[in-house]
Structure formats: C-alpha cells, structure tokens
C-alpha cells in the first residue's frame, strides 16, 4: 500500500490504486480523507463537474436541507466545525455546496479527484483480488478495494410520457437542474409531482412565474420549516458543545438528529395535551414533529392523531375547501412516505396564479407541443418541471456494470431487490464496500451521521486487513441472508410498508417492493456494526492466500 503504481508493457499503462472511490459527494470526500490518513493511495471518480453530490445536482429553486445545518455537517474535524459558520437554521443548496467545496480545499482532496468522469463498469478479478474499473472513454484503472459512494438519491427519474419530445418549451428535472439557473418570469409552468423537491420549489417558482399548474398524483404531509438566520448565540452554543451534541446524535438518536427523546405514546396523553404538543412542534417547525411521541411509526391509531392534526392545519391554511381537500393526504400513515418540510407550500395554493390538478384517477396521458394533457384536457405550459424523484438507493448502482465472482452482475444479484450484509458489503462482490447502501439506516437518518459511521467502519476494516495482510474480504451468504431477513422483519413491524413510497421502490414501475433502508435506528445499527468488527468481522470471510477466517 502507499503510492499509485503504473504497470506498463505492450498494453496501455494501467493506473493501480489501493482503493477506488466512486462519487465525490459527502461520502466520497470523507472516504478519501480517511484513506489518505491510512497512507493508502486512492482515486475518486465523479461524473459531475464539481464535488458535493446531491448538493451539486439538486439546484432547483428553494432547494434546502431539511436537517438543521449545525447537525447536517461533518464531525470528524473539530477545527472544521469550529471554523465553519452556518448562516441559517436550514442551509440552502448554495451554502451546502460551498461547504463541500471548502472541505475539498481545506483537506487538499482535489488532487485525487477526477471530475467529469463516468464509471462505466467494475469487474472483480478473482486471481489477484482486485477490481478493474473502466471509465467512459475506455481508460482502465485497478484497485484492491472499490468503495461505492454513489449516494442514495442520485439517479433522477424522468417519467416516460408519450409526446414529451414534442414539447416546444423547456423541460427540467429538479434533480438535474441547470447550473446557470432558470428564469421563469412571464412563463406558464407545469410542475409534475408533489414530493419534497416540488414542495420546496413550487412556492419559489410561483413567486416568479406567470402561472403554475401543479399536477398531483399523491398529496404529501408537510410541516413548516420555520427557517431563520442563526443568531450568534445559537452558533456559539453549538460550537461550544459540538462534542456532546455529536455524541448524542451518534449514540442516542434513532435518526441521528439531536432532539428530545419521546417518552410517551400519543394515546397516553389527553386530547388537549396532545393537541398542545403538536401545536408546539408545528410552531417550532421541522422534522422533529414526527418524534413528538414514541409510537407514531408503529401504531396506526397513534399515527392517526398526528395525521389528523396536519390535515386540519392544511384545511385551516388553504382557503378553497375543494383544493384543501385534495391537498390532505388520506391514503397512507403520516411519516411512512418521507415527511416534507416546507416554506409557504400550502399558502401558495391561495395565490391566483397557482392551480392544482388532481391526476390520481387521470394520469398524464400525453404531452403535446403546448402542454400537458390529463383527463382529456390540455393545460398550456411554456416550461415543465419534473419533480418526479429518483430510482432510489439502487439506481446509481444499476447504471454501472458491476461484476463480482463468476461474472455475476450486481443487477442480476439485485433483480428481486437489493441484498447486502449491513448495507456495507454484498456476498459475491469481495472488496467492494457500499457507503450508506440499501440495508443501512441511510435515508431514514441524518445522512452525514450515517456517512461518517460507514466511512469510519470501512477505514477501520481496511486498517485491520492491512495489519493481517488480508487480500480479500467478502460478506458470507449466510450473514447476508440473515441481515436481509432482519431488515425486512424490522420494517414490517412498523407502518412504513403501508405506503407506496420510494423507500419501498414503489415509485419505479417493475421495481421489486422491498423496504430499502434499515429502520432499526442509528444507535442499534451502530452497535451491531461495532460488535461485528470486534468479533473479527463476524459474517465476513477474510482471505490471505489461504482463507484465515470464515465466521457466520
Ligand atoms: O421525489 P419523490 P423528490 N406522474 O419521489 C410524483 C430527498 N429530498 O425529489 O407519490 C405524476 O419524493 C410522485 O407521485 P407519487 C427526500 O428524502 C430532500 O421530491 O409517486 N406524478 C411524487 O409526488 C425526498 O423524499 C430534500 O404518487 C409522478 C413526486 O413525483 C427524496 O429526496 C429536498 C410521476 C416524486 O416525489 C425525493 O424527493 C428534496 C408521474 N409519472 C428531496 N412520477 C430536503 O432535504 C412520479 N410522480 C429538504
């Protein structure tokens, strides 16, 4: 291990590394930093022209994190967290992207990152336990370890609607927004979708456009963000106590976000007390609305109390009762689709220049040169914004041709849904690590907390291997089967599978319905990962020349 090596002969020279990292988002950046710390040679390949992952691509109007900025930031360097000053309670996309760039510069990461570089395929060579990675254009590189830091929501999905190519105006997807921005002044804009991205962007677009027509298939529960500029006192309070806040996020909070830990179920309180609790959380704003009680994700009757409260708030906010009714979700428990956080979303439907079109029973049948057709009616548009989401958690893997042992492709292996051990490795794909992969808390948690936990675990694992001269590590089939069963069992003890959500792969036609993330919570998950490592990487087979351990 150490320096990248060139192997040459009659073949074009091939660059060899200890590790190749795919993706320069928050996962890839920190992974590179940790590998450098181990003295390993590593190269990051990133398809975008800059670092930042999600925050590089999602530049749509109103894009903002739904986790508070002081909590949505790295903890690995105290110097970094002391010197970086967040300006708002929830950082906007531009500020988060500046932060990612600051991290890349501050830790001198750029010299090992290749931008504008698409990874086409990755193939495991069983003879020498190395991965050969082919880049767009044909260049090949090899590494002992492959780290897939490809993000959970990185494969923007455009619906296949007849006539789309004939549309005369401009077409956008929130997940791949033009860098130069878009001026909607004077335009009639159609927005398709009402998930988090739409809910954030619609109020901002409506401020600018002549008219906005929102095409809604399923209404969403949304809680006011209540964003504001952070005061000097708030910043100081965090800066002085980061160590303890970070510890709590890691060790005590199921979702990695520090807040009060609920001690009661929703039905253990009187109606008045419960109303006061929800009122307080609604007024405070943010994701912690869903942690008001400890059984909202578990007990339908408890969940109904929170869902009723939000429906009532929508009814009080939206002036036209027919529009309010369409905006009130009724077909799934609150929180079982990702809860949204908004600024003036429901208020926006009181504007004269905003129309809501319900397409639940009349899907968009066609796009014409002039607009969008549903229910036999054409809605004229000058521009269309698709806020239609992502092929979540598996989509970014599927676009790379990944081949493990015996030429098995990851696409084949995951045909019936992703299978991993701990969301970290896949049986049959040795020396390949996933950061926040399917089967890990990932999207159900504060992503930065989960990313740091995974990257730290992987780094420790690589250090362990180096000390023991291990050439190959692989999840055993038994351990993977056990983990997949556990992930499903935990999910099915909750209300989550009751929603047709992207958590279940339900937003992609033909995608298997499998609950993708691990819902056991960060502290429990972390304890399992640590225990696995402490027991000589239980459930992993480690090989030198000869197999040295294979514990199930
Ligand atoms: O995508 P989504 P998103 N015709 O999949 C609709 C994170 N995020 O980009 O629900 C008509 O949630 C679809 O309808 P339905 C966050 O984790 C975070 O908004 O499938 N409509 C739905 O309304 C979030 O959950 C932040 O019936 C179609 C919408 O499009 C995740 O990213 C901000 C359709 C897609 O919603 C994804 O959010 C933004 C069709 N053919 C995102 N196909 C923050 O941090 C799909 N839809 C704040």
């Amino acid at each position: 291990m150490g320096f990248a090596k060139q192997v040459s002969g009659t073949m074009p020279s091939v660059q060899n590394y200890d590790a190749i990292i795919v993706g320069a988002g928050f996962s890839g950046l920190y992974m590179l930093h940790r590998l450098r710390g181990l003295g390993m040679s590593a190269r990051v390949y990133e398809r975008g022209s800059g670092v930042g992952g999600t925050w590089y691509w999602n530049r749509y109007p109103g894009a903002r994190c739904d986790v508070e900025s002081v909590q949505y930031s790295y903890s690995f360097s105290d110097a970094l967290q002391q010197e970086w000053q967040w300006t708002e309670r929830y950082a906007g996309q531009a500020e988060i992207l500046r932060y990612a760039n600051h991290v890349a510069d501050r830790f001198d990461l750029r010299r090992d990152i290749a931008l504008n570089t698409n990874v086409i395929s990755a193939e495991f060579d069983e003879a020498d336990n190395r991965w050969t990675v082919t880049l767009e254009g044909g260049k090949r590189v090899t590494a002992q370890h492959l780290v897939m830091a490809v993000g959970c929501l990185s494969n923007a999905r455009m619906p296949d609607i007849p006539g789309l190519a004939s549309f005369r105006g401009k077409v956008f997807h929130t997940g791949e927004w033009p860098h130069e921005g878009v001026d909607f002044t004077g335009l009639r804009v159609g927005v398709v979708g009402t998930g988090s991205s739409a809910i954030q962007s619609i109020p901002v677009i409506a401020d600018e456009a002549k008219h906005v027509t929102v095409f809604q298939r399923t209404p969403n529960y949304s809680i006011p963000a209540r964003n504001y500029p952070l005061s000097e006192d708030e910043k100081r309070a965090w800066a002085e106590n980061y160590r303890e806040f970070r510890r709590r996020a890691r060790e005590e909070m199921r979702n990695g976000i520090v807040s009060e830990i609920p001690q009661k179920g929703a039905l253990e309180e009187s109606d008045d007390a419960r109303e006061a609790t929800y009122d307080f959380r609604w007024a405070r704003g943010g994701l912690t609305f869903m942690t008001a009680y400890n059984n909202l994700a578990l007990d339908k009757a408890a969940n109904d109390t929170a869902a009723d409260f939000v429906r009532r708030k929508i009814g009080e906010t939206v002036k036209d009762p027919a529009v309010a009714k369409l905006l009130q979700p009724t077909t799934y428990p609150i929180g079982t689709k990702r809860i949204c956080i908004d600024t003036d979303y429901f208020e926006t439907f009181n504007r004269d220049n905003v129309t809501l079109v319900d397409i639940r029973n009349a899907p968009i049948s066609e796009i014409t040169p002039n607009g969008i057709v549903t229910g036999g009616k054409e809605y004229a548009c000058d521009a269309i914004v698709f806020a239609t989401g992502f092929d979540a958690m598996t989509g970014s893997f599927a676009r790379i041709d990944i081949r493990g042992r015996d030429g098995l492709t990851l696409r084949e292996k995951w045909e019936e849904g992703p299978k991993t051990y701990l969301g970290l490795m896949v049986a049959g794909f040795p020396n390949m690590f996933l950061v926040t992969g399917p089967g890990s808390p990932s999207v159900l948690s504060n992503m930065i907390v989960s990313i740091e936990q995974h990257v730290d675990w992987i780094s420790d694992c690589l250090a362990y291997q180096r000390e023991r001269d291990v050439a190959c590590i692989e999840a055993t089939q038994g351990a993977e089967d056990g983990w997949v069963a556990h992930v499903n069992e935990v999910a099915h003890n909750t209300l989550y599978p009751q929603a047709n959500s992207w958590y279940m792969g339900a937003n992609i036609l033909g995608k298997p319905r499998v609950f993708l993330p691990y819902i056991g919570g960060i502290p429990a998950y972390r304890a399992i990962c640590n225990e696995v490592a402490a027991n000589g990487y239980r459930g992993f087979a480690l090989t030198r020349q000869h197999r040295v351990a294979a514990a199930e």
Side-chain angles (χ1 to χ4, degrees), residues 68-75 86 99 242 246 448 452:
E68 296 180 357
S69 45
V70 284
Q71 306 215 42
Y72 190 86
S73 33
Y74 289 121
S75 70
W86 293 104
Y99 175 71
Y242 260 130
R246 303 300 198 197
I448 306 280
E452 288 195 328

Side-chain angles (χ1 to χ4, degrees), residues 92-109:
Q93 173 270 335
E95 189 172 17
I96 303 175
L97 191 58
R98 273 201 303 282
Y99 175 71
N101 277 284
H102 171 73
V103 170
D105 291 331
R106 192 190 188 289
F107 297 97
D108 188 23
L109 301 176

Side-chain angles (χ1 to χ4, degrees), residues 264-278 292-293:
K264 281 187 191 167
L267 303 174
E268 289 175 53
E269 292 214 298
S270 70
D271 291 355
D272 286 349
R274 197 169 49 237
E275 188 74 5
T277 298
Y278 288 143
Y293 295 106

Side-chain angles (χ1 to χ4, degrees), residues 54-55 58 60 62-67 72 96 153 157-161 173-175 192-200 215-220 332 337-341 359 363-364 386-390 392 443 500-503 506-507:
T54 283
W55 303 102
N58 287 269
Y60 58 83
R64 191 173 285 289
C65 192
D66 57 6
V67 175
Y72 190 86
I96 303 175
L153 295 160
R157 193 184 61 98
M158 194 70 111
D160 187 14
I161 301 176
H173 191 290
T174 46
V192 182
T194 47
S196 299
S197 303
I199 282 177
Q200 288 191 326
F215 296 87
Q216 173 185 274
R217 191 161 68 182
T218 314
N220 250 304
Y332 59 96
K337 273 175 183 262
R338 169 77 171 211
I339 193 96
C340 301
I341 302 300
I359 58 168
I364 296 171
F386 285 97
T388 44
F390 304 87
V443 291
N500 286 327
S501 66
W502 59 258
Y503 293 145
N507 63 328

Side-chain angles (χ1 to χ4, degrees), residues 133-152:
V133 168
T134 305
L135 309 173
E136 195 171 359
K139 182 176 174 186
R140 290 161 73 229
V141 286
T142 81
Q144 184 182 0
H145 303 286
L146 177 64
V147 181
M148 299 300 290
V150 291
C152 296

Side-chain angles (χ1 to χ4, degrees), residues 20 117-123 131-142 400-401:
I20 286 171
T117 307
N118 250 318
V119 171
I120 303 298
S121 66
E123 193 170 354
W131 284 91
T132 299
V133 168
T134 305
L135 309 173
E136 195 171 359
K139 182 176 174 186
R140 290 161 73 229
V141 286
T142 81
I400 301 173
D401 183 18

Side-chain angles (χ1 to χ4, degrees), residues 48-355:
S49 65
V51 302
T54 283
W55 303 102
Y56 168 90
W57 296 101
N58 287 269
R59 297 163 186 248
Y60 58 83
R64 191 173 285 289
C65 192
D66 57 6
V67 175
E68 296 180 357
S69 45
V70 284
Q71 306 215 42
Y72 190 86
S73 33
Y74 289 121
S75 70
F76 71 83
S77 158
D78 192 48
L80 171 66
Q81 65 188 7
Q82 293 300 333
E83 77 199 9
W84 183 267
Q85 299 277 309
W86 293 104
T87 62
E88 294 178 272
R89 179 182 181 186
Y90 305 94
Q93 173 270 335
E95 189 172 17
I96 303 175
L97 191 58
R98 273 201 303 282
Y99 175 71
N101 277 284
H102 171 73
V103 170
D105 291 331
R106 192 190 188 289
F107 297 97
D108 188 23
L109 301 176
R110 292 187 197 277
R111 62 189 156 87
D112 287 322
I113 301 174
L115 299 171
N116 300 306
T117 307
N118 250 318
V119 171
I120 303 298
S121 66
E123 193 170 354
F124 184 68
D125 181 342
E126 298 186 41
D128 63 0
N129 292 312
R130 293 181 74 80
W131 284 91
T132 299
V133 168
T134 305
L135 309 173
E136 195 171 359
K139 182 176 174 186
R140 290 161 73 229
V141 286
T142 81
Q144 184 182 0
H145 303 286
L146 177 64
V147 181
M148 299 300 290
V150 291
C152 296
L153 295 160
S154 309
N155 199 8
R157 193 184 61 98
M158 194 70 111
D160 187 14
I161 301 176
L164 179 56
S166 74
F167 182 62
R168 270 205 294 262
K170 288 230 165 102
V171 173
F172 305 98
H173 191 290
T174 46
E176 288 185 353
W177 203 258
H179 288 200
E180 62 279 13
V182 180
D183 183 2
F184 289 114
T185 309
L187 301 185
R188 296 162 303 176
V189 183
V191 179
V192 182
T194 47
S196 299
S197 303
I199 282 177
Q200 288 191 326
S201 56
I202 287 166
V204 183
I205 296 174
D207 256 349
E208 193 174 276
K210 182 172 165 199
H211 195 91
V212 176
T213 308
V214 178
F215 296 87
Q216 173 185 274
R217 191 161 68 182
T218 314
N220 250 304
Y221 297 95
S222 187
I223 311 297
R226 315 269 186 225
N227 190 30
Y228 57 78
L230 284 175
S231 69
E232 291 309 314
D233 283 349
E234 281 172 294
K235 288 187 215 172
R236 197 172 319 112
W238 272 88
E240 285 171 1
N241 296 289
Y242 260 130
R243 184 186 288 267
E244 175 58 8
F245 282 130
R246 303 300 198 197
R247 186 197 64 73
R248 288 181 59 203
R250 280 194 287 264
E251 294 175 13
E252 294 176 6
M253 312 311 304
R254 283 181 66 83
N255 61 4
I257 301 172
V258 176
S259 72
E260 314 92 321
I261 297 176
Q263 304 296 337
K264 281 187 191 167
L267 303 174
E268 289 175 53
E269 292 214 298
S270 70
D271 291 355
D272 286 349
R274 197 169 49 237
E275 188 74 5
T277 298
Y278 288 143
D279 264 329
F280 168 75
R281 300 251 173 169
W282 183 267
R284 186 172 66 177
L287 289 175
T288 59
F289 181 86
M290 286 309 296
T291 52
Y293 295 106
N294 61 18
N295 59 348
L296 294 183
L298 302 173
D299 178 329
K300 179 66 167 55
N303 185 285
D304 284 344
T305 64
D308 285 343
F309 178 89
V310 174
R311 280 191 287 265
R312 235 175 16 254
K313 287 289 181 193
I314 298 170
E316 288 165 14
T317 308
V318 180
K319 291 188 182 137
D320 181 334
V323 176
K325 191 153 191 279
L326 285 177
L327 289 166
Q328 288 165 329
T330 54
T331 55
Y332 59 96
I334 185 170
T336 55
K337 273 175 183 262
R338 169 77 171 211
I339 193 96
C340 301
I341 302 300
D342 72 277
T343 300
D344 295 337
Y345 175 64
F346 295 115
E347 290 81 349
T348 296
F349 291 91
N350 294 330
R351 298 177 65 123
D352 293 337
N353 71 334
V354 176
T355 307

